[in-house]
Amino acid sequence: TFTLYFINTFITEKFQEKEKKFKSQFSRLFIELFATLSVSVILIVLITLFYIFIQNTDPAVAHIGMYDNIAIAIIVTLVCVAITELIFFLNKWKNTALEAEQLKRQNIEIQYAALSSQVNPHFFFNSLNALNSLIQNDPNKALIFNREFAKIYRYVLDSKDKLVVTLQDELNFLNSYLYLQKIRYEQALQYHIDINYSCMEFYLPPLSIQLL
């Protein structure tokens, strides 16, 4: 029993280490069971034959003992595989939950950093100074600037509770942000956006392109 346990545990753990090479968990479990049961039956047959040989047991009785041992070997194998797989899936579930929590925390940190970079006083007052200058020199452009400025803060507030937004929404926000920066830096800021239109419905974290 101990021999079967250690051998089956070893085989099962090797299959678990290579789980990504299988198409599904079902196929892995099927092949794993086939391998462990085959090894267990072969091992128990060899052990029983050796025992029969040294004990000089009657062949009729030996066959009954052989079948009993094979049945026991199958039961022990199934129990070993079940225990090992249960531990494996429990650990995998715990790791997945931990990774999800880490991703959630990282997402919150990214959102916080994005919001901070957008709503910080430095950006706010720079934009107000640019708007004040435009009101005096170019009222029409000031109206456009004010509209884009409002779009930025509306988007920031609307997206703060969202995990993802469409690429189209993100680009609309980015255009408003770049417009304000273009007013500040004029020809010192040059950029070009070239994205396939078919990608516009793809999803990504809010404010991620602006951070980039």
Side-chain angles (χ1 to χ4, degrees), residues 10-92:
F10 176 79
I11 294 173
T12 304
E13 288 176 349
K14 289 299 178 182
F15 273 95
Q16 290 170 352
E17 291 174 3
K18 302 181 183 298
E19 66 165 334
K20 293 183 179 179
K21 294 184 178 181
F22 294 90
K23 293 182 179 180
S24 66
Q25 292 288 357
F26 177 79
S27 61
R28 179 183 68 81
L29 287 172
F30 180 80
I31 298 173
E32 180 183 303
L33 276 174
F34 178 79
T36 51
L37 288 172
S38 299
V39 171
S40 297
V41 170
I42 292 171
L43 179 66
I44 207 70
V45 167
L46 291 175
I47 292 174
T48 307
L49 289 175
F50 178 72
Y51 180 78
I52 291 171
F53 174 76
I54 63 174
Q55 291 293 324
N56 196 23
T57 309
D58 181 63
V61 178
H63 280 93
I64 297 175
M66 177 80 75
Y67 296 141
D68 290 342
N69 287 339
I70 290 175
I72 293 171
I74 291 173
I75 293 172
V76 171
T77 300
L78 292 175
V79 171
C80 291
V81 172
I83 292 173
T84 309
E85 285 297 331
L86 180 61
I87 295 172
F88 173 72
F89 281 109
L90 282 176
N91 288 333
K92 191 174 182 179

Side-chain angles (χ1 to χ4, degrees), residues 102-115:
Q102 290 174 342
L103 288 173
K104 183 179 179 182
R105 184 170 65 250
Q106 290 173 0
N107 182 65
I108 292 173
E109 291 172 355
I110 290 172
Q111 286 188 358
Y112 177 77
L115 290 172

Side-chain angles (χ1 to χ4, degrees), residues 167-193:
L167 178 59
Q168 181 67 67
D169 290 339
E170 185 76 358
L171 286 177
N172 291 338
F173 157 75
L174 189 65
N175 286 328
S176 298
Y177 177 79
L178 288 173
Y179 178 82
L180 267 60
Q181 298 301 320
K182 190 72 175 175
I183 294 295
R184 279 190 64 197
Y185 297 108
E186 297 180 344
Q187 295 304 314
L189 174 62
Q190 300 291 333
Y191 63 90
H192 176 65
I193 299 176

